Amino acid sequence: MNQSSVIKAPIAGCMRWGKWGAGFSTKEYRQLIDACLENGIRSFDHADIYGDYTTEAEFGDALKEVPSLRSSLRIITKCGIQMVTPNRASHQIKSYNTSAAHIIASVDQSLKNFGTDHLDLLLIHRPDPLLNPIEVAGAVDHLKQQGKILQFGVSNFLPHQVDMLMNYTSVEYNQTEISILQLAAFLNGTLENCVKHKIIPMAWAPLGGGAFDDDTHPRFRSIMGTATLLASKYECGVNEILIAWLHTHPSGILPVIGTTKIERLIQAKNAASIQMEREDWFKLWIASTGEDVA
């Protein structure tokens, strides 16, 4: 699968497919996976902790029904957070673990869960105050040499944290919260750092993480008013406008759509065809910040 085909489509975020959300049966996992593939959505975002360490294996059970599906899709997963759950009795408190031993063991468990011999992309889930970049790089190089991971990246890392790690290994993705409601990545150097290093930014909660379902949000009226006008102009829906706004940034922001509805994923895919004019982009920026640019 070439890189451009990945970038043109959104990523299906699977956090709420299992215990932490819809509680899908194996049949329902298969139905949504199939619907994604039929609509050209081929990347699926996981983390080992999702569903209290159960969602990866449930997704894997669906794939095992038709083993040929694996070659049609791209599996992304994360590790590095240790949660306290009954199926991880050795964890005394919630903490981070980016030791080489933990990364390698996490990958081996994820491979078993998914029923596959490789992960297309592994991300470190959160910055770890005890992260040793030499140790992480050693684990990543070892896993790549074994063919167990094809690409490596990070999640929620700030530019200086990415730079430190890049002194020792290649970082190809940074998944962080980016939306019209969460502008930090535009202001703290994260996106500029992605452009500088040719890192692909992934946006989790690209539609505000459900905040647009609450009309009491302080920026709801201004953003929705502007987005509605632009949706009329571009002949699409508001969700498409908000995703197109992200696509307009030169870093090539890739949205991770955390939904259990294929319709939402199709909307996000359709947004890739919208060529938003520069002034329209700034109309939404001003609607979000409440201020004209300097």
Side-chain angles (χ1 to χ4, degrees), residues 45-187:
D45 180 74
H46 289 266
D48 56 354
I49 62 171
Y50 288 171
D52 295 340
Y53 298 95
T54 63
T55 302
E56 283 187 343
E58 291 172 354
F59 189 95
D61 287 342
L63 294 185
K64 290 169 189 174
E65 290 191 341
V66 184
S68 61
L69 278 178
R70 176 63 184 97
S71 62
S72 300
L73 52 83
R74 189 166 184 259
I75 294 177
I76 303 162
T77 199
K78 312 175 199 72
C79 71
I81 299 177
Q82 292 189 157
M83 290 186 60
V84 179
T85 67
N87 56 5
R88 294 294 187 277
S90 63
H91 298 172
Q92 300 177 41
I93 60 169
K94 186 179 181 181
S95 62
Y96 299 146
N97 190 340
T98 54
S99 67
H102 181 78
I103 291 170
I104 291 168
S106 295
V107 166
D108 286 339
Q109 184 61 54
S110 291
L111 294 175
K112 179 180 178 181
N113 290 341
F114 289 119
T116 186
D117 62 357
H118 72 280
L119 303 172
D120 296 276
L121 173 60
L122 175 71
L123 305 176
I124 299 297
H125 205 155
R126 292 274 178 181
D128 174 8
L130 299 179
L131 185 148
N132 182 331
I134 298 174
E135 192 170 352
V136 171
V140 170
D141 292 346
H142 172 74
L143 291 165
K144 284 186 173 181
Q145 288 168 5
Q146 290 190 317
K148 291 182 177 180
I149 65 172
L150 303 187
Q151 292 184 298
F152 172 71
V154 296
S155 182
N156 304 297
F157 275 49
L158 293 171
H160 68 279
Q161 295 164 329
V162 173
D163 288 346
M164 178 186 71
L165 195 50
M166 286 195 72
N167 284 325
Y168 302 92
T169 192
S170 174
V171 175
E172 295 160 281
Y173 292 83
N174 188 2
Q175 184 178 134
T176 190
E177 185 177 8
I178 316 172
S179 73
I180 192 65
L181 293 175
Q182 177 51 266
L183 305 178
F186 295 96
L187 301 169

